[in-house]
Amino acid sequence: MAQPVISSRTDLYYHEVLIRIRNKDGKLLFPDAFLPIAEQAGILAQLDMTVIEQTFRFIQSLDESKSESKFSINLAPRTLHHIYFIDHLTVLFKKYEISPGRIIFEIVETDIIDTKVAALKLEKMRSLGCKIAIDDFGTGCSSYSRLEEIEADILKIDGSFIRKILHDDLNHFLVRSFCTVAKIKKMQVVAEFVENEEIKQELIRIGVDWLQGYHTGKPVPIEEVIL
């Protein structure tokens, strides 16, 4: 699946790649139903590499008029810590002739196992030309301190803050403070769970750079993405 992330100021956008499993009855299973099982089985890294390769294969299939389209892919910290991850990623970029500048990798900072190792790997990915997004920001008690140790390009504010932004002063203040920190770090800000026009307009007023949610675009099968 893929969901658009739209600019709050221009007509630019990119898509986040989302994984789902369809069971025998045709029902879609969401990640919280199968990722814990994949983690217990020790196959998260293989799952992530499969998603990356399928995304690259889809990008390669696009015609020349869509050569600037960009996609973000979620990455489990355990995958990031895999000893051969950077080598495998480099091979896939070359195999499918994908410009690294078209790819954003999203990392949940609260799940990072070893900050020093993660910071080194993320810097190598950025040196390839990829962008790095810190996902679900604000949900962990160490969020701000992580930003001192990890260099990234995008900060994604967790949807739990966005949902309450119109009716809760504390959440409103926190979202504004996240935006301030991002600007200090020269990071772009993405707000998740933009569910109505009122929330969208308030986020634009605050200065959020990118918007993602059912109001701005629902997930669709990646083959149906209109670029």
Side-chain angles (χ1 to χ4, degrees), residues 118-130:
L120 180 62
K121 291 289 183 71
L122 293 175
E123 187 53 41
K124 288 182 178 179
M125 292 161 68
R126 294 179 81 210
S127 69
L128 291 175
C130 308

Side-chain angles (χ1 to χ4, degrees), residues 15 17 20 24 34 43 45 52 63 70 73 82 86 89 99 122 124 149 155 164-165 178 187 197 226:
H15 285 82
V17 176
R20 304 286 187 264
K24 294 180 180 179
F34 57 82
I43 59 171
I52 292 170
D63 62 46
K70 297 182 179 181
I73 303 171
H82 194 283
I86 299 296
L89 182 62
S99 168
L122 293 175
K124 288 182 178 179
E149 303 171 89
L155 185 149
K164 304 173 185 176
I165 194 171
F178 296 158
M187 300 170 70
E197 184 64 20
I226 300 175

Side-chain angles (χ1 to χ4, degrees), residues 6-53:
I6 69 168
S7 170
S8 63
R9 301 184 184 89
T10 71
D11 58 356
L12 296 176
Y13 59 90
Y14 63 92
H15 285 82
E16 179 182 355
V17 176
L18 307 169
I19 57 172
R20 304 286 187 264
I21 290 179
R22 193 179 300 277
N23 66 14
K24 294 180 180 179
D25 299 324
K27 180 181 178 181
L28 286 180
L29 300 180
F30 289 78
D32 57 356
F34 57 82
L35 286 186
I37 298 172
E39 183 173 13
Q40 290 177 358
I43 59 171
L44 271 181
Q46 293 96 313
L47 179 60
D48 280 351
M49 294 309 298
T50 297
V51 172
I52 292 170
E53 183 158 16

